[in-house]
Each structure stands twice: as structure tokens, then as C-alpha cells.
Amino acid sequence: YIVSMDWDALEMRLGAFMSGDPVFVEVFRKYDAKTGPKPHIANMAAIFGLPATAEAAEANPGMYRAAKVFAYAVAYGAGEDTVYEQVREELPDMDWTSFQTAFKNYKATYPVLFKFQQDVVKQGTRYGFIDSMLLGRRMWFFERTWGESSPEATAMQNAPYQSTGSDVVGAANRRIMDELVIPWRQTKLLKRGAKWKDKDGVTHVCFTDEVIEQLAQVHDELVFEVPKRLKDEFIAECKRLAEQKPVKREVQKDGSVKLTPLDWNLPVDIKAKRRWKPVQARCGAQKTEKGKPITKCRELVDIELVKTDDEAD
């Protein structure tokens, strides 16, 4: 099986937790407790004055997608002109005045988040570097900034998201490899011809030596190859290891290291399917635009084998 795992809205969550914006943190707290709407629906309601319901999002798909643009464009340090261009891909009829009102609403909803991003630019401009929030990895900036929309300021605003996200995923990846993948290779894998029983008591035969491998890491997604009989156990252990609360590492003046556990909830979504299948689809904004070329995508799907024997394998 291919096991694919990725963090749920990692960059948005990091924006909430790193900035400490109480309104943004509360959005995720309620969403995780299943007492509040999805974060993008909450943003849509704040930006456009709509009710924070799934029905409102379905009735206003352009505004729902535009709310996503606001969230991620701001996380990437985009200025108003850039955000406006991206929002108009979802809402072509939106004029500049309406956009400014919407952007003002977004800033008023999360004032602490926007102040955090401004402070990041001030720090990067003054000292020429920004440290990642968890491991303290230093990123240097050598160009002068000229306003919040300059390329260097944009990079500074995005740096905490990318570097801290890398800290989170890298630490989880290390735990999964050290505590799961490597030990299981030595203790749990079967050789060709070995027999095993599934949860229903049905006996199966291994037609090849079993393997467990990490196939790829793409940003906040990890992809593994896992034997069928270990799939469910592997998913449970992956989730446990990946969702451990992050720890902040700080080097003190005397050279000692202070470790501070953080109360950040960073849930992981995990899927397991047989293989990747090519599909034809209209992606993103193309879904609503006629005449757009069909984009080739790849989708993780579950395809049952026609028969299981040496020849088919």
C-alpha cells in the first residue's frame, strides 16, 4: 500500500500559533473540537460578512475560494496588489474598492497576526536575519527592504512559515524513521513464501520479500510504501508520532539548551491506497471556466488486483 500523510492546514495553523492571535487560535480550537466551522469558512464569513456555515460556502464558491487566497497569500507575504490579482481569479467582478473593504475586514479580524508579520519584517530589516521558531535555524537577508510589498519583505514574512513548517515535518519524519520504519524493517517484515493471517483469519502467502520504505517528502506530505498486513498498525503509529506536540529549542547564554513543549495542535491526515492512478481533471479555477484545457493530475486511488499469484505479481 501507498500511505500518504500530510498536515492539516499546517501554514494557517502556524500563523495562528506563532503570532498568538487569540481569534485565529480560537478558530482552530473550535474546528478541532468540532464545535466550529472550517477555518476557510470562518475566514469567508469574516471577510465577506456571510454566515459561517457550509451552506453559505456552497452557495458562494467563489467567495469561499477567495477566502483561501486571502489566508495563503498573506502567509506568503503578498502585498495588496498581488492578493487582489489572485482574488480576482476567483471573483472576476470584484473591483478595487470592494477588495480593499474585504482586505480591511480580514486585517481587523486577525490584528495580532498582521502585527506579527510586520514585526518579522522589522526584525529582519534591523538584524539581517530571522530564526525559525522551533529549532532556531537562522535565515539571512542581505537586500534592503522598501516597504511591506518588496521582494525581501515578502520573503521575510514567509520565512517563519516555511522554516517552522520544515522544523515540524522534519522532526516528525525523524521520529517516524527512527521509531517505526527502521525498527520494523528488522523485526516485522516477512520473506517470500511466509504465511500470515489477516484480521478476518484468512491466511495469505507473501509472493515477494516485504519492504517498508519512505518514497518521498513534498513540503508537508510524507509518502511511504507499506505491506498490506501492516497498513493499519503503521497508520496508527504514524499518526501518534507525527502529532506529538512540537518542542521549542533555545540556546541559553551559558551554552545550555532549553526545551519548551508547545501546546500546538497540528493534526495529520493519512490515506492508504493501492497505487497512484492518472486522472483527467479541471484543477483550481479551471473548474468554472469553459474552454480551459484539461489538466493531467494524479490521484491516490484503491485498485484491487484481478488476481494474486506469482504471475500477476
Side-chain angles (χ1 to χ4, degrees):
Y1 270 76
I2 295 174
V3 176
S4 172
M5 55 180 290
D6 66 280
W7 275 254
D8 178 66
L10 180 60
E11 289 181 339
M12 284 183 67
R13 288 177 183 271
L14 290 178
F17 293 131
M18 290 189 302
S19 68
D21 190 301
V23 179
F24 212 5
V25 171
E26 185 69 3
V27 166
F28 283 105
R29 189 193 68 78
K30 289 183 176 180
Y31 171 60
D32 292 339
K34 297 184 172 29
T35 59
K38 292 181 178 179
H40 291 307
I41 291 180
N43 285 348
M44 179 195 70
I47 294 167
F48 299 108
L50 298 174
T53 63
E55 292 76 16
E58 292 170 1
N60 302 276
M63 290 184 178
Y64 177 73
R65 292 194 300 269
K68 290 186 175 182
V69 171
F70 273 99
Y72 290 111
V74 170
Y76 277 84
E80 286 193 15
D81 291 343
T82 302
V83 179
Y84 180 51
E85 291 175 7
Q86 295 179 6
V87 167
R88 287 199 65 192
E89 292 182 9
E90 307 299 343
L91 297 171
D93 296 332
M94 175 172 273
D95 58 37
W96 176 248
T97 301
S98 299
F99 165 76
Q100 285 187 312
T101 300
F103 204 9
K104 182 179 179 180
N105 291 340
Y106 191 57
K107 288 183 176 180
T109 303
Y110 306 122
V112 178
L113 171 67
F114 280 87
K115 184 178 185 305
F116 164 76
Q117 299 216 157
Q118 292 171 354
D119 290 344
V120 166
V121 174
K122 289 178 181 177
Q123 176 192 330
T125 303
R126 179 178 180 182
Y127 298 108
F129 65 82
I130 294 172
D131 293 338
S132 66
M133 295 287 287
L134 296 183
L135 299 183
R137 293 182 295 111
R138 183 153 293 177
M139 294 147 286
W140 293 92
F141 295 87
F142 299 106
E143 300 293 332
R144 279 190 68 184
T145 60
W146 60 93
E148 293 181 8
S149 298
S150 69
E152 197 74 356
T154 295
M156 288 177 185
Q157 291 180 70
N158 185 230
Y161 292 84
Q162 297 297 323
S163 60
T164 307
S166 178
D167 289 350
V168 170
V169 177
N173 197 9
R174 173 62 65 188
R175 289 194 297 271
I176 291 169
M177 292 302 297
D178 287 350
E179 301 180 35
L180 193 59
V181 173
I182 294 173
W184 280 23
R185 284 175 183 164
Q186 301 169 352
T187 60
K188 294 210 172 197
L189 298 185
L190 300 178
K191 296 293 184 181
R192 180 185 180 95
K195 297 181 179 181
W196 61 279
K197 290 185 178 181
D198 61 23
K199 60 183 179 181
D200 298 320
V202 179
T203 299
H204 300 266
V205 178
C206 292
F207 293 106
T208 61
D209 292 347
E210 289 184 336
V211 295
I212 178 170
E213 299 285 354
Q214 182 175 9
L215 301 181
Q217 175 186 348
V218 184
H219 296 292
D220 63 345
E221 182 173 4
L222 305 177
V223 184
F224 298 89
E225 181 182 25
V226 182
K228 176 182 178 180
R229 66 184 183 86
L230 299 175
K231 170 178 67 76
D232 293 340
E233 184 182 0
F234 182 84
I235 288 174
E237 285 298 293
C238 257
K239 193 168 182 65
R240 178 184 67 82
L241 292 169
E243 291 184 349
Q244 290 182 14
K245 296 292 179 70
V247 176
K248 184 175 182 178
R249 179 182 183 273
E250 297 175 284
V251 179
Q252 306 299 298
K253 291 182 178 180
D254 61 1
S256 63
V257 177
K258 178 183 178 182
L259 301 178
T260 306
L262 301 175
D263 190 24
W264 294 5
N265 187 38
L266 303 174
V268 175
D269 297 323
I270 304 181
K271 297 180 291 186
K273 300 292 182 179
R274 295 271 184 171
R275 53 182 57 86
W276 290 98
K277 172 190 174 185
V279 296
Q280 300 289 332
R282 296 187 185 277
C283 300
Q286 295 177 355
K287 293 179 181 178
T288 59
E289 296 184 26
K290 295 181 179 180
K292 283 284 187 178
I294 294 177
T295 303
K296 290 185 177 181
C297 304
R298 295 191 64 85
E299 180 184 9
L300 197 58
V301 295
D302 197 1
I303 305 174
E304 292 292 339
L305 299 176
V306 176
K307 60 179 182 176
T308 54
D309 56 28
D310 287 331
E311 181 181 357
D313 188 76

